[in-house]
Structure formats: structure tokens, C-alpha cells
Amino acid sequence: MAAKVLIIEDEEKISRFLELELTHEGYEVKKSADGREGLDLALAGGFDIVLLDIMLPGLNGLEVIRRLRKVSDVPVIMLTARDAVMDKVSGLDMGADDYVTKPFAIEELLARIRVTLRKNERKAEKTSSSLLECGKLRLDSAAYTVTYDGNPIELTKREFAMLELMLQNKNIVLSRDTFLERVWSYDYIGETNVVDVYVRYLRGKIDDVYGINLIKTVRGVGYVIKDESHEE
Ligand code: CA
């Protein structure tokens, strides 16, 4: 599946150029020219990497990454101005994975994207073999088991995949489209309410049985599992 790149850059010339080059390289590209909108898109999830300008309308890039890092580990490469040393330092401090200095050679950026994606894949492989947890709920993707407070919960393959996706993206609201893409198939054609149906199944097996409110509905957006220790 093509890696998805989110470009948050207000300079139309640069973002269009990036879109062309990245699309040509086989990436799937989404653009935003506004910091606030870009942050919302990044928070909605589904991207493999974010290219982030610093000077942006709405919300500057440093603020975007600061807020993004509270809930998301999506790799971020900053696009910084040549002499803005402080921006690079602050950006990296705030959790950016890498940066390129404008004007950049596209080959350099492409190489950095590949390296960053590979690093992240390796990280994902490590974590995917380990346990996912939320409170007393534990999901072991290697052993294919789910327990609540030690009690086994029997899930179907799809229910398991949905729960796994939500636990991998704790605190990130996942849209119905995201579920359809990741759990069903990329080009699933059908009713999006199949997602709601499966959330009901999951709630019936977890929330209702243990009297908890694990899977939260975000009206008009989708579903999220929140790490309670993470709440502000
Ligand atoms: Ca800019």
C-alpha cells in the first residue's frame, strides 16, 4: 500500500512541487496550507509521515508539532528556512524526526522520507509484537488474545482488528473511513455503518460486560479509546 504523506505548507509553489514529486514516487499525498487545519488532519490519523513548514497561518509549525506529539508518534520532517537554527533545534526538541532546509534538493528530501519511514517501520514491528494495553484491558497481537483484568474476551477477527487499531492509536479519533481502510480493505465499497455495527459488537463484549466506557463515540467524527492518564 502506498505510504500516505501529509504536507502542511502554505507556499503554494512548494507544496504543489512536493505533491507532484511525491505522487510521482508513488506516495499518496494530502496538502494543507494552514497550521490549524493541518494539525486536525494529522490528528485524524492515517498518515505515514508529515512534512511540516514552520511559518504557517493559523498555527505555526512548532505549535503544530507540540500539540501533535501529545497524542501521536507519526513521523514528522520539518521544512525550515536556511538560517532558522532555533526552529530546527526547537522542532527536534519537540519531537520532529528530521528536517530539511529550504531551498532543498528533492532527492535529499525523498531520501530523508525513506529513512524516516524505515525507522518507523522497525519501531512499529517491535511494538506490534508487544502488548497493547488500556487500563485493565490487554491485547496481545502475537498470541491473538484479549483479556480484561485477566478474563479472556473472545473476539472475531474483525473485532480484534478494530480493537487493535484503536489501541495502537490511543487518544486519536479514528474515522469510519479509517476503519474501513485498515480493517476491511482499502477500497471497501459499502455501508460505512458496518463500522458502527462492529463497535456495538465490541461494546457488547467489553464495555457492557465490565461496566466500562472504553470505546468513546466522537459525534460526527468516529471512535476513540482514551488513555485516562493522558486526559487533560
Ligand atoms: Ca511558510
Side-chain angles (χ1 to χ4, degrees), residues 53 69 79 108 120 128 153 165 167 171 179 191 228:
D53 183 30
R69 277 295 174 259
L79 312 173
E108 184 194 351
N120 201 56
S128 74
I153 299 170
L165 186 65
L167 287 170
N171 307 307
F179 282 111
E191 297 296 321
E228 300 301 337

Side-chain angles (χ1 to χ4, degrees), residues 9-11 53 55 102:
E9 163 67 80
D10 61 325
E11 250 168 283
D53 183 30
M55 296 293 287
K102 288 196 252 187

